[in-house]
Amino acid sequence: MKIDTAELLTSCAQSVDFPDPGAPEVAFLGRSNVGKSSLINRLVRRKKLARTSSTPGKTRLIHFFAITGGSRELRMVDLPGYGWAKVSRRERGGWQQLVESYLQKRPPLCAAILLQDVRRDVSDDETLLLDWLAERGIFSLVAITKTDKLKPMRRAKRLRELRGQLEGLGDRVVATSAQTGEGMDALWRAILAAADERESSSLRKSPGSAK
Ligand code: GTP
Ligand code: MG
C-alpha cells in the first residue's frame, strides 16, 4: 500500500487509555526482541516510527499507530513482547492482563500477526496464543521474522521445519525480513483483505451507518 502518513497515536499502559475505536486495527504480537517494531517500520516504510531496541523487554506499553494511504485508514498496534527470562509472576500477569484486555474486546481488530523468529522453534507460548486467538474468532497470521539472518539452504530448511510446527495454518505463514523487505507484499495483501472484510461486515451490521 502507498503510505501518505504514519504517526504514533498514543501509548497505553492500561485499557482505560486505549483510543476510541476508529479505523481497522492490525495487532503485532510475539516474544520480546522477535522484531515487532522493526516489522511495523518496514511495512510503513518509516525507519523510526516504532522504537526498536537491543535491550528486550523494556516496553510494556501498547503503541497505536495511525496509517493513511490513498483513501485508506488503518491502525497498527504494537503489543508488548513476552518471554523475558527474568520476570516475576506478577509482571507476567500484568502483561497478560494488558494484552488480553486489548485482544478480547476491541471491535476494530481485524487481524493479529504473531511473529516467530526463524532461528527459534515454535514454543507453547506461540501455540497457546494461536489457539486462544482462534477460539475467539480473531483472524491470525504468522510472520516468520529475520529470514535474512540465515543462508539460503539453512533458511529453506528452517522454513520447512517451522511450517511443520505450525501445521494447520497453511498459507497464513509468511516468511519476512525487516532488513530485505521479504514478505511485505504478502503481508500487506493479507492485512488489506482482513481490513476490507472487517469494514464490510460492520456495514452489514449497521446498514444505517453506510453513507
Ligand atoms: P520488544 O519491543 O522489546 O518486544 O522487541 P521487538 O519485537 O519490537 O523487536 P525489535 O523490532 O526491537 O527488534 C529487535 C532486534 O532485532 C533489533 O536489534 C532489530 O534491529 C533486530 N531485527 C528485527 N527484525 C530484523 C530482521 O528482519 N533482520 C535482522 N537482521 N534483524 C532484525
Ligand atoms: Mg518493540
Side-chain angles (χ1 to χ4, degrees):
M1 153 163 152
K2 182 183 147 289
I3 311 292
D4 293 328
T5 63
E7 58 192 34
L8 177 66
L9 198 58
T10 180
S11 299
C12 314
Q14 45 185 12
S15 55
V16 293
D17 299 327
F18 293 169
D20 289 339
E25 292 178 0
V26 182
F28 294 78
L29 72 166
R31 187 172 292 281
S32 182
N33 211 41
V34 69
K36 297 174 293 297
S37 305
S38 304
L39 188 66
I40 292 175
N41 287 339
R42 183 74 200 210
L43 278 167
V44 301
R45 293 184 284 275
R46 298 286 191 280
K47 285 210 165 71
K48 290 183 189 151
L49 179 67
R51 285 248 198 99
T52 59
S53 61
S54 46
T55 44
K58 282 265 189 275
T59 42
R60 309 285 166 82
L61 298 171
I62 298 189
H63 306 283
F64 290 81
F65 300 99
I67 316 294
T68 64
S71 58
R72 278 183 178 278
E73 274 181 59
L74 200 71
R75 286 180 185 171
M76 293 197 174
V77 182
D78 193 358
L79 295 171
Y82 55 81
W84 329 277
K86 291 181 195 139
V87 294
S88 65
R89 192 181 284 253
R90 215 178 109 242
E91 284 179 281
R92 216 167 289 191
W95 177 89
Q96 192 163 350
Q97 209 183 12
L98 181 63
V99 170
E100 286 187 2
S101 70
Y102 172 77
L103 292 171
Q104 227 151 19
K105 38 178 192 299
R106 192 66 190 169
L109 177 66
C110 66
I113 303 185
L114 175 66
L115 281 69
Q116 164 70 42
D117 191 312
V118 72
R119 298 162 301 171
R120 294 181 80 113
D121 285 329
V122 175
S123 76
D124 285 350
D125 290 327
E126 284 77 37
T127 45
L128 287 169
L129 262 170
L130 287 166
D131 288 346
W132 191 92
L133 293 167
E135 277 162 22
R136 283 156 188 79
I138 301 170
F139 174 73
S140 62
L141 289 165
V142 174
I144 310 287
T145 63
K146 310 192 189 184
T147 56
D148 62 280
K149 294 246 188 199
L150 301 180
K151 297 213 172 80
M153 292 281 279
R154 173 105 188 99
R155 178 184 169 286
K157 180 164 177 279
R158 279 305 293 157
L159 288 176
R160 271 198 306 278
E161 286 166 359
L162 287 169
R163 287 207 160 92
Q165 293 170 16
L166 294 163
E167 203 193 322
L169 284 172
D171 60 5
R172 288 189 287 137
V173 179
V174 182
T176 70
S177 163
Q179 190 131 314
T180 66
E182 178 183 6
M184 296 307 123
D185 290 347
L187 273 189
W188 266 120
R189 274 196 299 277
I191 289 170
L192 294 178
D196 286 346
E197 168 64 29
R198 169 49 38 91
E199 294 206 296
S200 60
S201 77
S202 61
L203 286 178
R204 275 199 301 277
K205 274 184 207 138
S206 52
S209 68
K211 287 198 191 100

